Each structure stands twice: as C-alpha cells, then as structure tokens.
Amino acid sequence: MSVKEAEGQVSPPSDDRTPRRSGESHARGWRGVGWGFIVKLILVALVNAFGVMVVISAFRVESWFILGAMIVLVAAVDVVYFTRRALPLKYLLPGLIFLLAFQVFIFGYTAYIAFTNYGTGHAGTQEQAVEAALIQGERRVENSPTYPLAVVERGLGELGFAINDDGTVLVGSELEPLSEVGEMGAGAPTDVPGWTIVERSRLLSDQALQQTVIDLRVPVSDDPNDGSIRSRDGSSGAVYESTLVWDEQAQTITDTTDGTVYHATDRGSFVADDGSSLPAGWFVGVGFDNFVKIFTDPRLAEPLLLVAAWTFVFAILSVLVPFALGLLFALVFNDPRVRGRRVLRTLFILPYAFPVFLSALVFRGMFNAEFGVINDLFFFGANINWLGDPWLARFAVLFVNVWLSFPYWFLVCTGALQAIPTDALEAAEIDGAGRFRRFWSIILPLLLVSTAPLAIASFAVGFNNFTVIYLFNNGGPPIPGAPYGLGYTDILISAIYDISGVSGGAADFGLASALAIVVFIVVGVIAAISFRQTRRLEEFQ
Amino acid sequence: MSSQTATTTVPTKAGACRDRTRARRRRWLVEVGWKYLFAVVIVFYAAFPLVYTLSAALNPRGTLSAASGLFSSLSLDNFAGLADTRYWTWMGNSLIIAIVTSIGSVLMGAAAAYAFSRFRFSGRRASLSGLLIIQMFPQALAFIAIFLMLLALGEVIPALGFNSKIAIICIYFGGVLGANTFLLYGFFNTVPIEIDESAKIDGATHAQIFWRLIFPLVTPILAVVALLSFIATYSEFLISRIVLTSEDQWTLAVGMYGWVSDQLTANWGLFTAGAVLGAIPILVLTLLLQRYIVGGLTSGAVKG
C-alpha cells in the first residue's frame, strides 16, 4: 500500500476525538475511562485471578518454583499495565512471557538436565528414593495387631485412616503421620474431629476409591522405619513395615532379611558391596559424564557417529538437491514463450501444498516392499526392500524430502530470477557471454544473494526434520547392536527422541539432553558461520 | 532466458517460405517445445503420489497396491468409514489448535513488532539480536525439558499439564515469537512513521494507533504469517505426540500415524481417505494464497 493511500485511511479517526487543547490540565482532559481501559482491566483481572489460583495450588503441592515464578509474572503484568511508563513492554510482555517460559526456560532446563542422571530410576530426590525403596520392601509385621479402622476424608478429597488403638483414636493421612485425636470404646472410629467418615456404602460402590484406599499408607510416625498402617478391606488396618531399614546418619539401607547393606553413592543409587543395587535412585549432578559418554562409550559413540554423519549428509542434500531441481525448473519455465505457466506453476507446487506428515506417511505405504506401489508399478513387481536396507532407506527418505521441498525452491528461484535486472544480462550477451557463462557469472551469484539465507534456514530445518524421518520409517532399519534402537536413517533429533525414552521404555533424560546440547552447539556454530558468509555475499552485490 | 535473439539469416530465394516455416518449427521444438514435455515429467513426479492417494481412497478394498490400476473401482466407502473412527475428533483438535495458535501468535508477533518498530527504548537492539539468536534454536530439540516441565506444571494446574490443548498451544506460542517478529518487524518498518506522528498530534493514544492505524495497514503480512503458522502447527508432530496422550486429544498427525505405524494391520483405505480430507485445508489455503506465500517465504520463513 502506498503512503498516499495509507494517509487517506488515517485522517478519519483523528477528527472525532477532540484533541486536548494545549495548556489544558491533564485532569480536565479526562474523558472517562473508555472501553479500551475496561477491556484492559478485565484482562489483567483475569490474569490476576489465574495467578492467585496457581499460587494456591502450587502451595498445596509444594511447587515452590512455580509459585515464585507465578508471583513474579503477575506482579510484572500488574506493574507493566498500570504504569504510564514501560510503554514498549505493554506490547512485548504477552509474547515475552511465553518466550521466556516455553523457550528460554526450557533451553536452560535442557542444559541443566544434561548435567544430571535424570531418567528412569533417577527421577526424584533422595528422600523420595528412600521412601520408594522402603515401600517396595514392605511386608506386614508378623503377629502385629489388627486395628478397627475407618476411612476418613477432608478438604478436596484428601483421604486418611482413623484407627482405634485400645480406646485411643488416632488419625493420619499419607502426608501426616498418625496423631491422637480422642478416646472411644471398642469398634471402628465413628467421629473424628476435623475429618468426615467415608460411608461404607460409598466405599463399596466406588471402584476408584477402593483402589486409592488399598494404596493408601499412613505412616505410624515421622520415622519411615516405624512402618505404616495399611488396609486391605477399609474396615481394619495393620502395621506394615519394610524389611529394609533406612539409616539416615550412615546413609545406608539395610535389608533385615539377609543383612545386605546398601550404601548411598554420589551417583544417586543405593549399591551393596557385591555390586547389586536397589531399583530406586535419585537424581544428582554428574558433571560432564553424559557428554563424555556420548563421545567415548564405544557401544554408543559408534552408532552416534554414523547418525551424526547421516544427519549432515541428509541436511546438506535436502537443501542442495531440491535447490538444484527448483532452480533448473525455474530457469526452464521462466520463459514467456511457454504458455500456461500459471497452471504449470500450480501443478508443480502441489507437493508443497500437501501437509508434510501426510506425505511422509503416504510414501511410507508407497515404498513398502510387499504391497507398495513403487515396486509394483516402476519396478515390475520386484521385491525391493526399500525400508529395510540401509542404503535404499536413506535414498528413499531423501527422495521423499526432495519431493517435499523442490516446489519451495522452485517458487523462491522463480521470484529471485524475476528480480535479476535484465540489463546486466543483456550487457553480458552483447559482450559475447554464452548461456553457461551468463548463468555461472551473473545469474547464480545474484540469485545466491537472496537465496543463501533461505538455504541456511532450510539446512537448519533439515538438520532437525523429525517429522519426515520418524513418520517415514522411524529412523530404521535398526543398526545391529546399537543401544536405544538407533537406526540407519535416524538423524540426531530422532536419535535423541529414542534415547530420551519419552515415548515409553527406559528413559535417559540426562544423556538425551546432553546430546541435544551438542546439537544446539552444532546448529549455532553453523548458523553463525553461514550468516557471516551471507553478509560477504551481500557485499559482493 | 532471453535467448531468442539468435540471428535468423533469411535466404531471399523464392519458394524458401516453406523452408523458413520448417526451420521456425524446428527452432520452436528445440527452444520451447521440449519444455512442455519436461513439464509433463515434472507434473507426473509432483502429482503422482497425490493422484495415487486419491485413487486408493476411492478404492473400497483398502489396499495400497496398484495391481488393479488407478481408479479401477470407485466408491465413497472409505470416506464414510471415517465416521466410525476418531478421525473427525482429531481433525477438530488439529483445527482448533492450529487456528488458536496462528491467531494468538500473530497478535503477539504484531504487538512485539510494533514495539520494536515504533519505540526507541534501552535494550532494544540487544533484545532484537537476542530474538534473532533464540529463534535459531528449534524448540523441538528441547522436548525433554518440555516433557518434564509439563509433569511439574500438570501437578499444579492440570489444564497446563499433559493431554491439554491449552498446554500445547502455550508451548507453540513460546516457539513462534522469534521468527514471526522478524517477518513482521521488517514490514512494520515500511509503514511510514509520519502516520503515527500525525495521529499522535491529533490526540490518538498508542493503543489507538496500533489497533486502528497500523493494524489495517499490515493486514496482508499478518494474513501470511497466520497462514504459515497455521500450516506449521497443523503438521507439527513431535511435541503433539509427547503432550497429547489420550486418543480423544490427538491431532490428525498423531492419530493418523497410529493408523499406519503397524504396516500389517494398517487400513490404508481409511488412511488415504483421511489423508485426502486432511490435506484439503492446507491445499486450498496454499493454492489460493500462493502469491502472498511466495512473498512471505522469500522474506524468511521456511516450511518445517
């Protein structure tokens, strides 16, 4: 839109708002709050309400980090939107909040995890690991008394047990050990101050509640070694004790059945002298261990090297081949004598208009060795194992990616070709430059100035093109003997996905994050170098 | 390329007229005619998988084999069969997530671009380059941290934990600001600042300038950015696969992957019918707006 048109649109709004006369005081210029202010008030009120809600529930589950972050966030919103200063921030804040929470923070968090052993068996604090270990070793105490018991409830579904211990009523919940609340005769407690008794009929009819009650453990005292009350039927309870004993002073867990002593190690697990360890561990910082493992553990380093090499080959070829094809098509059809170029262009870019995930899945079917159409139609029914052979699978996934992205380069190159000044070409032609000379010396350099940054960006996309790799063939076929199911067409990001175990199986978040950090660094270095190169290209222009 | 200027020495002999037309026709064949043949090859390459998908979708036997030839039997059974699956739920989820994400991210991007383009504040240059650096690192690489963060968030606010559309939209919001802001920032800078200044003299507030003056002027680029982010979100797989855990919350990408991940039990008839329908939103938008998309693409966005 031209400046004139733009200004034509501008003038109307200005006349219905009477401008403040110069010299008039700010108070006299006050013209009511205006609907804009009301909208702002409502929105900020909603943010505050949400913030209070989050703070309360964060307090309940003792998530101090989220609680703190939320307070800071709400305070920031209130300050920014109710002061006259910080004008730019009024516009930046919404995006900034999401950027900080879901991009900057998660990068930092990834870096942090990379230096820990976070993963299956190392997911919580040491305290949680001890508790988990003791629960796993829990048995009913032999000859222990059975107490009459009532299931009680308070607040928002917090369940507990009330027991009658020879006339003394004790009550407690999962988080609160038993404490005395009153006296009574024989039988299950009927009245527990501060708690409501859960009706037996409700207990019998509600399956989910029954399961919760069976899983509920109410500690007898603050010391986990004292065991806890559990109930099989919701009407009587008994003390269960772990056969494992936790000694906080010595940092050991002893198995009372056979006397094995498990020591807490600085690697976040309990290990006995004979090398056996308890399944429950906690997560600790492990320094550069994960990074060292990536490069030195031969079982991991060799497949990873293969994956890394393929990542580069895949990313580079995924730019070069479609670029070359797109440029070729653009050169050929950038010819006014060819009629119907608009129709042709629309047909050429069909792959680009097809969602990537669908293309990858469709090709997955088409390349299938047994019933795929590619073997059927183009190889006369031969049984070529496209997805099962390392080289064929690599070729196939490249083929798919080229198919997906040549239209993009065709569009970009067509645009860039049309922007090249014709006088330069004519001058070259008069000077006797042939077709190839003109292409290499004029068209290509000029074209690269505008397309090189796009090529870099699309290299970065190819480097992390999880969708195509994973949907097409899950990164397969598998490399024999490689851990975590790494395959021949896996690129680094899909390898990270396999290692992380977020889709199930044993998880190693620490190792996967370390690998992600390595990829971050690689991508960053490549981007930095190539942007410097592009700047040089621009100077060349 | 303009190569038609090759010299045409015409023999001035009588009766050479026929020779001349023949020569001209041969030259047309050499310089232009083959391009049509070439075009046929490219169109075949580009369109075959799509035509093939359509043919399989219309084939009631639900196989991907081409033994019986393309379009040998036509029926809408596969399309009708989609009603018995969760397909339409997934489609709805995909559309909701993609639409909300694209609208929200465009609003946030436009606001940020406005701030960078119109206000001069301390830390402006630093935050601009900060954004440029941040957007180079794909959010998808940090999926482990996203996974763990949702574990913690879900304990506090279930609506922001796993299996929530709100959660995934928030994650997408976090990832789009960088790239979008740069696309929009460049465009906002082309709107002359004199417009703002004259409105300011007339007593307009900054909010009025943003919503009533700038917004209408930048609508084309906003549409392009919204469209690109719609397309990207619609196709996103990794994060949706992690976040959306139950079948009724899946997006089309996650759901349809489930249909064909097991090659032996895969029902390709249903799948291809779903693919044909699932491609329509993007296909229509891309083809209608291809001119704008080219403009948007060349200013820096990439299909991912």
Side-chain angles (χ1 to χ4, degrees):
Chain A
M1 190 174 285
S2 80
V3 182
K4 267 205 183 119
E5 277 174 282
E7 275 173 345
Q9 291 195 355
V10 169
S11 36
S14 51
D15 49 30
D16 56 325
R17 302 259 149 179
T18 28
R20 190 182 300 146
R21 253 173 288 141
S22 61
E24 190 178 46
S25 91
H26 193 68
R28 291 188 63 182
W30 174 255
R31 260 171 253 290
V33 288
W35 65 267
F37 181 77
I38 293 171
V39 169
K40 179 169 95 177
L41 204 63
I42 293 172
L43 288 178
V44 177
L46 284 176
V47 171
N48 277 305
F50 173 74
V52 170
M53 199 186 84
V54 171
V55 166
I56 291 173
S57 68
F59 182 79
R60 274 190 35 210
V61 299
E62 300 179 26
S63 263
W64 307 124
F65 182 81
I66 293 177
L67 191 148
M70 203 65 217
I71 290 176
V72 171
L73 197 153
V74 170
V77 169
D78 284 332
V79 169
V80 165
Y81 287 105
F82 288 118
T83 49
R84 292 200 156 271
R85 293 171 179 200
L87 190 54
L89 262 182
K90 285 186 170 68
Y91 288 90
L92 288 174
L93 196 65
L96 206 58
I97 289 172
F98 285 105
L99 183 79
L100 288 178
F102 293 99
Q103 182 107 358
V104 176
F105 172 74
I106 59 164
F107 287 168
Y109 198 34
T110 306
Y112 166 70
I113 297 166
F115 290 97
T116 69
N117 61 356
Y118 206 146
T120 305
H122 298 277
T125 59
Q126 191 187 28
E127 205 175 302
Q128 287 166 325
V130 168
E131 201 171 301
L134 295 194
I135 290 175
Q136 279 158 7
E138 213 166 54
R139 307 280 180 275
R140 184 173 169 181
V141 179
E142 275 175 59
N143 307 322
S144 66
T146 305
Y147 303 102
L149 170 146
V151 180
V152 292
E153 188 182 33
R154 81 177 165 189
L156 291 168
E158 186 189 359
L159 286 173
F161 287 145
I163 59 162
N164 183 352
D165 183 6
D166 276 341
T168 311
V169 178
L170 300 161
V171 71
S173 68
E174 191 152 29
L175 306 170
E176 257 177 58
L178 286 182
S179 62
E180 209 179 307
V181 287
E183 310 259 320
M184 67 171 289
T190 47
D191 177 41
V192 185
W195 295 80
T196 16
I197 308 264
V198 175
E199 295 293 332
R200 187 130 186 90
S201 55
R202 196 180 129 209
L203 200 58
L204 291 174
S205 61
D206 188 340
Q207 287 278 335
L209 187 65
Q210 278 175 30
Q211 193 53 52
T212 326
V213 167
I214 288 170
D215 291 340
L216 185 64
R217 310 164 57 254
V218 175
V220 171
S221 74
D222 281 328
D223 184 352
N225 291 326
D226 282 352
S228 54
I229 300 284
R230 303 191 67 165
S231 173
R232 291 249 163 259
D233 52 8
S235 62
S236 63
V239 176
Y240 280 63
E241 259 178 31
S242 186
T243 54
L244 302 175
V245 176
W246 165 233
D247 183 346
E248 198 175 349
Q249 295 290 289
Q251 295 278 303
T252 55
I253 288 182
T254 312
D255 190 336
T256 52
T257 53
D258 58 5
T260 319
V261 178
Y262 297 92
H263 297 276
T265 63
D266 61 353
R267 281 289 172 264
S269 46
F270 291 107
V271 182
D273 292 335
D274 63 358
S276 63
S277 64
L278 294 174
W282 62 100
F283 84 95
V284 291
V286 293
F288 284 91
D289 275 16
N290 288 320
F291 293 91
V292 172
K293 192 176 174 195
I294 291 175
F295 293 107
T296 55
D297 180 354
R299 237 167 57 82
L300 189 63
E302 276 166 32
L304 272 182
L305 197 67
L306 209 61
V307 166
W310 166 242
T311 309
F312 276 96
V313 171
F314 174 75
I316 291 171
L317 289 183
S318 291
V319 178
L320 280 190
V321 179
F323 183 91
L325 277 185
L327 178 58
L328 175 71
F329 299 166
L331 282 172
V332 168
F333 293 100
N334 189 27
D335 178 346
R337 289 170 301 171
V338 177
R339 290 176 195 200
R341 275 182 302 154
R342 187 167 297 187
V343 178
L344 286 180
R345 183 168 87 168
T346 306
L347 290 173
F348 287 0
I349 66 164
L350 278 177
Y352 188 71
F354 204 63
V356 179
F357 75 96
L358 287 175
S359 322
L361 291 174
V362 165
F363 272 106
R364 183 194 183 107
M366 292 175 60
F367 272 107
N368 187 289
E370 285 158 47
F371 55 80
V373 69
I374 300 219
N375 277 346
D376 246 18
L377 220 55
F378 303 107
F379 294 93
F380 312 105
N383 200 342
I384 303 174
N385 193 5
W386 291 103
L387 301 181
D389 177 82
W391 285 105
L392 288 177
R394 285 173 184 152
F395 171 82
V397 73
L398 256 176
F399 180 88
V400 172
N401 215 24
V402 168
W403 182 84
L404 280 171
S405 43
F406 86 85
Y408 167 73
W409 290 109
F410 169 69
L411 287 177
V412 167
C413 290
T414 304
L417 275 182
Q418 281 161 359
I420 291 178
T422 45
D423 50 354
L425 287 171
E426 276 163 17
E429 205 176 337
I430 289 166
D431 287 349
R435 206 177 279 208
F436 286 97
R437 185 63 204 260
R438 269 179 283 155
F439 175 74
W440 283 112
S441 308
I442 299 174
I443 299 175
L444 197 60
L446 285 175
L447 200 77
L448 281 179
V449 173
S450 53
T451 53
L454 297 180
I456 294 158
S458 100
F459 173 82
V461 169
F463 205 83
N464 292 305
N465 203 338
F466 181 83
T467 310
V468 168
I469 296 287
Y470 190 79
L471 294 190
F472 180 64
N473 198 20
N474 287 0
I479 302 172
Y484 306 104
L486 299 180
Y488 283 106
T489 56
D490 259 323
I491 56 174
L492 283 164
I493 189 167
S494 64
I496 294 171
Y497 183 82
D498 291 337
I499 293 173
S500 76
V502 290
S503 60
D508 197 338
F509 299 142
L511 184 64
S513 295
L515 198 52
I517 296 298
V518 173
V519 177
F520 269 146
I521 294 170
V522 171
V523 171
V525 168
I526 290 169
I529 293 173
S530 37
F531 274 113
R532 184 165 300 171
Q533 292 292 332
T534 14
R535 210 173 296 152
R536 200 177 299 159
L537 272 174
E538 270 160 36
E539 279 158 20
F540 172 76
Q541 184 186 29
Chain B
M1 290 307 86
S2 50
S3 49
Q4 69 272 50
T5 34
T7 48
T8 42
T9 39
V10 186
T12 50
K13 247 192 275 172
C17 197
R18 219 176 32 202
D19 281 353
R20 207 190 299 163
T21 34
R22 196 181 300 154
R24 200 184 291 155
R25 191 172 296 156
R26 202 166 59 222
R27 217 187 65 196
W28 183 89
L29 271 178
V30 167
E31 289 184 2
V32 184
W34 66 275
K35 294 189 173 179
Y36 290 105
L37 264 180
F38 191 42
V40 169
V41 174
I42 303 172
V43 169
F44 178 79
Y45 171 58
F48 178 75
L50 308 179
V51 173
Y52 176 69
T53 306
L54 187 64
S55 151
L58 290 167
N59 188 329
R61 280 181 305 152
T63 64
L64 261 195
S65 119
S68 45
L70 293 179
F71 300 107
S72 55
S73 55
L74 301 179
S75 112
L76 292 176
D77 288 359
N78 289 324
F79 291 92
L82 290 177
D84 303 328
T85 66
R86 304 243 184 175
Y87 180 83
W88 293 108
T89 317
W90 300 336
M91 173 70 111
N93 291 340
S94 279
L95 288 178
I96 291 171
I97 292 172
I99 289 172
V100 175
T101 304
S102 62
I103 293 176
S105 56
V106 162
L107 286 180
M108 287 190 305
Y114 177 66
F116 282 124
S117 161
R118 291 319 203 232
F119 303 125
R120 293 291 172 269
F121 50 94
S122 55
R124 177 173 163 278
R125 285 228 70 84
S127 17
L128 266 174
S129 17
L131 267 185
L132 187 68
I133 292 167
I134 288 170
Q135 62 121 17
M136 277 180 208
F137 297 101
Q139 200 184 20
L141 257 183
F143 65 86
I144 298 159
I146 292 179
F147 176 83
L148 295 174
M149 184 179 178
L150 287 187
L151 273 181
L153 267 179
E155 257 180 56
V156 180
I157 330 156
L160 281 183
F162 281 101
N163 217 13
S164 143
K165 291 194 196 72
I166 301 177
I168 198 166
I169 289 170
C170 286
I171 295 170
Y172 289 152
F173 276 172
V176 292
L177 190 73
N180 283 353
T181 306
F182 272 93
L183 264 177
L184 294 168
Y185 172 67
F187 200 89
F188 274 60
N189 281 343
T190 64
V191 177
I193 198 155
E194 285 79 13
I195 294 179
D196 304 32
E197 281 163 358
S198 65
K200 221 177 280 172
I201 291 167
D202 289 342
T205 64
H206 61 89
Q208 282 169 340
I209 295 174
F210 176 62
W211 290 106
R212 298 200 185 174
L213 301 187
I214 306 290
F215 230 69
L217 291 178
V218 296
T219 320
I221 189 80
L222 294 185
V224 170
V225 171
L227 179 70
L228 291 173
S229 102
F230 179 89
I231 294 175
T233 314
Y234 192 82
S235 268
E236 203 283 326
F237 179 75
L238 176 55
I239 295 174
S240 5
R241 169 119 167 125
I242 291 171
V243 175
L244 305 170
T245 46
S246 82
E247 226 176 303
D248 58 336
Q249 295 291 323
W250 283 353
T251 58
L252 217 47
V254 181
M256 294 188 69
Y257 169 71
W259 276 357
V260 298
S261 58
D262 185 358
Q263 302 273 10
L264 296 175
T265 60
N267 185 339
W268 288 96
L270 273 186
F271 170 79
T272 45
V276 169
L277 291 177
I280 288 177
I282 309 285
L283 204 65
V284 169
L285 284 174
T286 317
L287 293 183
L288 278 182
L289 300 170
Q290 47 167 301
R291 194 183 323 163
Y292 300 106
I293 294 175
V294 178
L297 287 174
T298 40
S299 18
V302 189
K303 189 187 192 188

